[in-house]
Amino acid sequence: GGLLGLLPDVDLLLSWGLGLGRYYHGSYTHSLLFAVAVGAGVSLLRREEQPRAIAGYIGAALSHGVLDALTKNQFGGAALLWPFSLTQYRLGLVPNYEFYPNPDVQGWGRILAEAAPYLVRELRVYLPVLVLAALIRYKYSQPQSSPHPTAPQLRPIGERR
């Protein structure tokens, strides 16, 4: 799920590789259609049949575009309705990062040095959430013991000993 949430930013790598510039960011990979296609594709690969799990995969892929749509910056936003609209929606609720590396001009060392503060900021937010989720999952994955192990076992009515 977490990787599906990061997947829409593959458009940054494509824009660098194809020389399309930073204005390409937030386009089709941030759309509802892309999220449905990726979520359904992952569900097929994992042979998932539960609607709740399929919706989870789609939601994880869509979360990135929705969160990018909350931004203020002119380079932020998301084309949520691509291919029907190229409009990059911005609700202007959250200031987004001023980090748009350009590998044609900057070396990778400089790009990584500029990215480090953003990584630290995101780790401060997401690491506690991940630890809490892991603790909850661990707690509920343990076999539950009976609160009264010596209590007599009840039998259905009419069953004989």
Side-chain angles (χ1 to χ4, degrees):
L3 292 177
L4 290 176
L6 296 173
L7 187 62
D9 272 347
V10 74
D11 65 356
L12 282 172
L13 299 174
L14 293 174
S15 64
W16 292 339
L18 301 174
L20 299 173
R22 66 183 178 185
Y23 298 98
Y24 186 72
H25 177 62
S27 62
Y28 74 94
T29 60
H30 290 62
S31 71
L32 177 61
L33 181 65
F34 181 82
V36 169
V38 167
V42 169
S43 296
L44 287 172
L45 288 173
R46 295 185 51 96
R47 295 186 174 122
E48 186 59 65
E49 296 177 0
Q50 297 297 321
R52 188 174 179 181
I54 296 167
Y57 291 134
I58 293 169
L62 183 61
S63 68
H64 188 106
V66 170
L67 290 172
D68 275 6
L70 298 175
T71 61
K72 292 181 182 179
N73 191 305
Q74 66 181 9
F75 301 117
L80 293 171
L81 298 179
W82 180 93
F84 309 107
S85 170
L86 298 178
T87 301
Q88 288 195 337
Y89 296 94
R90 287 182 238 16
L91 295 176
L93 300 176
V94 178
N96 64 330
Y97 302 136
E98 295 294 333
F99 175 66
Y100 289 95
N102 185 349
D104 295 333
V105 178
Q106 301 169 297
W108 284 103
R110 181 172 168 203
I111 289 172
L112 293 174
E114 288 181 18
Y118 298 108
L119 176 63
V120 169
R121 186 180 340 170
E122 289 190 0
L123 281 175
R124 275 192 245 146
V125 172
Y126 294 117
L127 196 56
V129 173
L130 290 173
V131 168
L132 180 61
L135 289 172
I136 291 170
R137 183 177 179 148
Y138 175 77
K139 180 183 185 311
Y140 287 102
S141 69
Q142 299 301 311
Q144 300 295 322
S145 61
S146 171
H148 303 287
T150 59
Q153 300 296 318
L154 299 178
R155 289 183 203 73
I157 296 175
E159 183 179 306
R160 296 185 179 178
R161 292 184 189 202

